[in-house]
Amino acid sequence: MLPLHFVNKSLGTLLLALASFTLGGFAQQPSSSVSKFPHLPSKIFYFEDTSDVLYHDPLLQNVYRSSNEGKDWSLIEGVPDGEAAHLIDHPTDNQVAFIITRQTTHYATYNRGATWQKFELPAAASRTGSPLSFHSTEKGWIIYQGTVCETTGTGHWGSGKTCWDDAYYTLDAFRSSSKLLLSQVNQCLFAHQSEYFKTPNPTESNSLVYCIAFDSSSLPGESKGLSESRLFSSRSWFASEGSQGEVVDFGIGKRARGIVGLGVAGGFVVAALRKDLVAGGTGGSEDPMSLYGECYPCSCFFLSSRLSVNHLDQPNLLRAAPSVTPNGVDWSVAKFPHGSIANLKENAYTIVESTSHSISIDVLAYPTASIGDLFVSNSNGTEFQVSLQDSNRNARGIVDYENLVGVEGVAVANMVRNREEVVGWGKNKEVVSRITWNDGLFFFLFSSIDRLVQDGVISRSILESSSSPKSLLFGPGATIGRTWKQLKPPAKKLNGDDWECQPGEDDDCSLHLWSVSTPHNFGKVFSSTAPGYVMGIGSVGSYLLPYEDCDTFISTDAGVTWNMALNDASKYEFGDQGSVLVSVWDEGTSSEIKYSFDAGATWNTYDFGVTIKPILLTTVPDSTSQKFLLLGTLSRADAGNNARHALVFLDFADMRKRKCTDKDFEKWYARPEDQECLMGHKQWYRRRKVDADCYVGDKFEDPKVQMDNCPCTDKDFECDFNFVLQAGECVLAGPEPVPAGTCTKADIRTYEGSSGYRLIPGNTCDRSKGIAKDKKVIKDCSQSRPADGQVSHQIHDFGSKVIKSQYLGDSQTVLVQLQDDSIWQSSNEGFTWKQLYPDESFLALTVHTYSKDRAYLVTDDRKVYFTTDTGRNWYTFSPPSDPNGLGVPIFDFHPTKSDWVIWTGQVDCSSVTSNTCRTVSHYSTDNGRKWRQIETYVKSCVWARGSRLKIDEKMIMCESYQKKEGSQRSPAYNPLKLVAGQGYYYNQEDLFSSIVGFTTFSEYLIVAELNEQEGTLKLQVSLDGTHFAEGQFPPGMGVENKAVSRRSKSGDEYGNVFKSNSNGTYFGLSIENANRNNRGYVDFEKMIGLDGVAVLNIVSNPDQAAVSGTKKLKTMITHNDGGSWNPMTPPSKDSLGQPYPCSSTSCALHIHGYTERRDPKATYSSPSAKGLMMAVGNVGENLIGYTDSDTFLTRDAGFTWEEVHKDAHLWEFGDYGSILIIANDEEATDHVLYTTDEGLNWKEYSFGERLRISQIQTVPSDTSRKFLLYGTRGAKPDETVAVHIDFSALTARKCEQKISDPNHDDFELWSPSESRAETCLFGRQTLYHRRIRDRNCFIGERIIQQEEFVRNCTCSASDFECEFNHHRDASGKCVLFPSATALSPLTTEEEQCKTTTDGYWYERTAYRKIPYSSCEGGDRPDRGKRHRCPEVFVPTSHGALFWLSIVIAPFLFAGLGGMWWVKKSGGSSGSIRLGDSRAFGGGGSSNQVIEYLAAIPYVLIGATGAAWAWVESKVRTIPFFNKMQSRRGYRNVPVDDDAEILRGTYDDEE
């Protein structure tokens, strides 16, 4: 190949089609020239606001320059041939560019490429990314990253070499020698890499540098892992802070390591951390990485998972999760709506183009389909809301989203309208386009004001009374907020024909455009700096057609209206501020371009002389020139000299002689008339009129935007500090801080405080011409924050009885349902309350099972109100059927797709005499906007997928009645079958022909199969929803055994607790005679946060109870996961310092359990206070009556107890256990008792009036210092009073945790084994951080590091339990049950040999190791005779025998003898009733519409002693039992205050 610089280092230029001239002296056609190149460029760039262009050939590694916008080209001088590995332009200095070679000698130009100077650096450029990082304001400040290698002969990288990266810096763009910045780095950049990043102090140095580097303790060249990487910062080039500057700890101390990425986005610096390398985690999140952000003056944000940036050639891939800082020092977690996409932590993120007052992020919601959801932040970047769902993106993370240049708040995006079919059935995407003129916040599919009224979003009266109805959509109280809309198509085709569809307000006939994810040109897809001009390739119809079937469209008003510009798809470009448009046919080869001087109304054609396949059409970056470059590929015949690619220069400058004057310009407003104001101003430009015959000629001068301030309206304000959005209004988050001395005088009980609103930062609206919503208001002092050290309270009378109270996750939002069918909301933990929609009558309140920021309010008129943001905003959808009154659960939620909802309603049930009253289930994948029917005549339909049951996420399972006929109110016998439907129930399969019920638990699907002829049950378990195995029980103890019959008297119910082996296949007896009540609930509870600790009440007189009906209860505790049970050791003295009268060895502490609680959420323990438990009980030989009992506390997981107060009390934990509160539960009281030292001292706080307290609540995680008491006055037992008590001002000192200096902080390391002889629990010694008992400090919202230090211990007897069919005898040995057969000792070979580390397997014995134990060595009674494993172990196929050996549920479900592990998350967790649950059906009232939900202890124990009572109640309808009293085919789930279906709410204990 000949070099391209063969003639005077100049490219041969072919001049074509010289312009002809008219008598007037100006050209009738443009002029052009063609330059040929052998290879396509890796980069063509113009020096900003100049005519100089550079062309980089990446194969020959040469650079060419043009000084006349591409007309003539020459090879640059001063750089050797083939040395230009990289060409990098300076982002802020239009005179400077750099050529980076593969050696240490590089080149710079300081005069736009005219001349080049070499400079030396100590190391060759790093190949891990861009080697240069620039400062946004200091043009000479540049960071260079180079790779240093040393020859070692034993290096890990390369042959005999070890390499690492060092960073260097220059302050004069390499005019002088560079200096070492930091060694052993992964990446370095300036915080001020973005012009939007501003320091809070203008005088502060802007030299802040961040570097990802490795610990200085490691030597250069040493092999380093990701765990050693940290983020360092410096303001003095790492000179004054030490060799590595300051460590950025993100507020989590030394755990801030594992940095995998760093970047700048607008005013934000974003760093990604691997969370599995952050010891202790941050609040228990399981995200693989954490992304922290920093910004000035804004707060910052975090992301999760893979991060991409739109329009980058190589998207930046990170994995992450959240934190923000307002000042670079104090970091806090940003509020990102995880609930909107439950699997957010695993997905990919793209930061799309954002405005100056918000950040836009697209989240990959459906990886296999490349479909996402777009989120937009508030003005300070701390909270994100869904803006556009089902956004279209490509596999590289590039999203179809683009802001229009120069028009604030206007963007075009594409979404996938058939996402469900794409994800579920593999269909092709049907892409539709949307446009927004107001940043696209809060997108919902409502197309008109009338539709809003129709759906109940805006009342007709409000609409008619409003002087500006459309303004209702934009205020802080708006229900819909800001919107995206369809693109309005042209009225006609280009030839005047009608479209095949009728243009309207929906997608069936709107304009759809190809966008960023499939680019067909370089740079911006739709717009340039030409004000309001937008072009695109698209089609009119119901969705976007293939590119070759599309045409070219244009808008001159920023997308409000569109015209068809050209037939077929074209590349296009804007010039001279839009006065000239150029296009080239893009569906094949062409030798012509088309151009227009009247915004596409008319087009002319010009032949530039060669035929090419167009690749790129561009001009100067600001589109102010009349000269263009067209790059294309020539045919082989036309190429010649191997110059295969042509660069066509097009010049329109001589075609119009008149320069535009003032009369040729118009004042153009940038948005539609009804949406002109954004951020408090109207935006307008002075632009050339479309029909003006002149050129603008202001080359390199960007159009100047003008601003007209608008009168202030609601939309210009947001919630002020200490205020939160509640149902569209800003309300106090708690008592308001007031200046010192305020509210201290008895005669002045008011103060001037915030209205709750502030002007959005950057908003310029005119208060004098509008509303001043941020004007101070006079308030009562009761709303002010109390003085330090004081407790405060607020009392609210509801006027009706509270039947349900529910926190929305760990937010401050509380929802309350009253007996009068009203719903009340508090967004400040009960400080203030607001009734939601007073005109509505609500039948039910349901919180999303998995996304706790979502709640649903079911009305009596076929309308559902819902929130996706903890009640800040409420919306509505219309369900597909009436809510059912047949006892069937109405809602079912998907564990990983928050928008996937199943609704089970009823049809033909308006008349009580209807013979076809039945249930009907529908599903929605967009949170109720569209519904599709699943099945009729069902007992339940649910998503089969569990959070840990990783089966087909689109599978739906239904308990479906075999006969689709009759009335479900009073039917004949009709067996249930279990149907699994893949692809949203599209492909159905009958799994079992007759069942009693099913549930998902952990990673298992559990089915109770019914043999109708024999009247027996089998427990079937599956891991994939297809293959099932049957659970095995000891002789005479299985669920199918009729010998275990129902006791004859109420009050004597009890049963046995079973526990599985390590793989869940066989179940052995753990403890007998567990206490339960006649409703099926069991006195069993697991300690939250400490595995293997549980408390159980047993019946100590089972034989006598069978006769007398009176049970005597004893409390037992296990610290080894049920391997052994022991009485609880009583305290030596009571709370008054007196010894207990019971002192024999039979004396123990006994406590009242779950079966006696009014509030099922009042658990013994707390998820955030490890080791703490409270209970009501007594010291004696048996448990005595509740009102004769006292209140006890343990700090060490039940090893030792102390009595803290006489009488029975309700209790609650706060602030991770730093504050405990109790209230008398035996009579009315006017005060609570609280302690800040875990019971050493108690103080009294009076709330002023006597109430009979029924419940104490706080956020489910027990991390707040605010509590809610519910009670009643004696004279009004049907009217609940809420008392909000705030302990936040009790102490202002935050507890300190110093990992590096643990002896001088407020925490101690504690182990559950401290108070007993054995130092190990579960074969290991575990230490936890907890606050020192007497420290007067609070822990706060951030979860303090619960770091565990583990040492495995030698195996002892406590690490083993009895094998299947064995039990412990009186001596404690494991012996075989009478008449039982032991499992074969030889059946564990395969299982052991798969995991062996010593090459041996051991025969089974009477013992088995407790699965949770990690003990090592020592005595191993579980090991029999030793055998060597086969040298080649071949696993067996997954046949029937395999499925009999896989894991069944480690604990069986209630009613069948097993343990249930659930989360404490308020009422939404639900409760299980042995006999009356979704899994089993059951008799009960069916005259209510929905069951009320309630919480249960963390573990429920099934009682097989009463299991047959349940079986018997179910088989009455089977022909085998046709002599029973009644025939009931359709079984109703009971409706009561503490029963919920047995279902996926128990899926995950994560």
Side-chain angles (χ1 to χ4, degrees), residues 370-645:
S370 294
I371 298 175
D373 287 324
L374 181 68
F375 294 83
V376 177
S377 76
N378 61 354
S379 64
N380 59 12
T382 59
E383 297 183 4
F384 289 82
Q385 295 290 343
V386 177
S387 173
L388 181 67
Q389 292 184 311
D390 303 332
S391 55
N392 187 51
R393 44 166 47 221
N394 63 21
R396 296 174 57 243
I398 305 302
V399 182
D400 277 350
Y401 179 96
E402 183 177 283
N403 288 327
L404 299 192
V405 177
V407 185
E408 190 176 25
V410 182
V412 177
N414 282 347
M415 59 182 290
V416 180
R417 77 165 192 167
N418 66 330
R419 179 254 307 157
E420 185 177 294
E421 290 82 359
V422 175
V423 175
W425 307 330
K427 290 189 175 182
N428 293 329
K429 290 181 181 179
E430 294 180 358
V431 175
V432 296
S433 295
R434 295 286 185 269
I435 189 168
T436 178
W437 291 278
N438 42 42
D439 290 343
L441 297 183
F442 310 120
F443 170 78
F444 288 93
L445 290 178
F446 296 106
S447 59
S448 66
I449 294 289
D450 289 336
R451 175 67 187 275
L452 304 180
V453 176
Q454 174 186 329
D455 290 338
V457 176
I458 299 176
S459 70
R460 176 66 64 180
S461 60
I462 293 178
L463 179 65
E464 293 174 347
S465 64
S466 174
S467 59
S468 178
K470 293 185 179 181
S471 69
L472 293 171
L473 301 181
F474 300 96
T479 307
I480 296 302
R482 304 165 190 176
T483 60
W484 293 77
K485 293 184 178 180
Q486 293 84 4
L487 275 64
K488 185 178 179 180
K492 301 286 184 179
K493 293 184 178 180
L494 190 61
N495 60 5
D497 290 348
D498 292 331
W499 299 104
E500 287 74 14
C501 58
Q502 182 63 41
E505 295 291 336
D506 54 32
D507 279 331
D508 290 337
C509 198
S510 57
L511 176 62
H512 313 287
L513 301 175
W514 283 85
S515 185
V516 182
S517 66
T518 311
H520 291 83
N521 202 5
F522 174 80
K524 301 286 286 189
V525 173
F526 300 118
S527 63
S528 72
T529 57
Y533 282 75
V534 188
M535 291 187 71
I537 307 303
S539 61
V540 173
S542 55
Y543 57 89
L544 182 63
L545 296 179
Y547 187 78
E548 60 272 13
D549 295 331
C550 289
D551 301 305
T552 306
F553 295 84
I554 187 170
S555 171
T556 60
D557 52 12
V560 177
T561 61
W562 291 82
N563 292 308
M564 187 172 174
L566 294 167
N567 289 313
D568 298 333
S570 304
K571 295 187 189 300
Y572 47 84
E573 187 56 274
F574 307 87
D576 194 37
Q577 298 188 22
S579 76
V580 57
L581 308 180
V582 180
S583 71
V584 61
W585 190 59
D586 198 27
E587 296 186 20
T589 60
S590 177
S591 62
E592 298 178 339
I593 56 99
K594 292 183 181 294
Y595 61 94
S596 174
F597 296 133
D598 54 8
T602 60
W603 293 85
N604 299 297
T605 301
Y606 172 70
D607 190 322
F608 49 81
V610 294
T611 301
I612 61 172
K613 175 63 176 74
I615 296 173
L616 177 149
L617 177 61
T618 188
T619 184
V620 296
D622 58 11
S623 295
T624 58
S625 174
Q626 299 183 70
K627 300 175 183 179
F628 300 81
L629 286 178
L630 172 61
L631 176 69
T633 299
L634 297 162
S635 67
R636 294 185 184 276
D638 293 338
N641 296 324
N642 293 320
R644 185 69 190 278
H645 307 284

Side-chain angles (χ1 to χ4, degrees), residues 158 209 258 443 445 683 845 1231 1236:
V209 175
F443 170 78
L445 290 178
Q683 188 181 34
L845 158 62
H1231 65 274
T1236 56

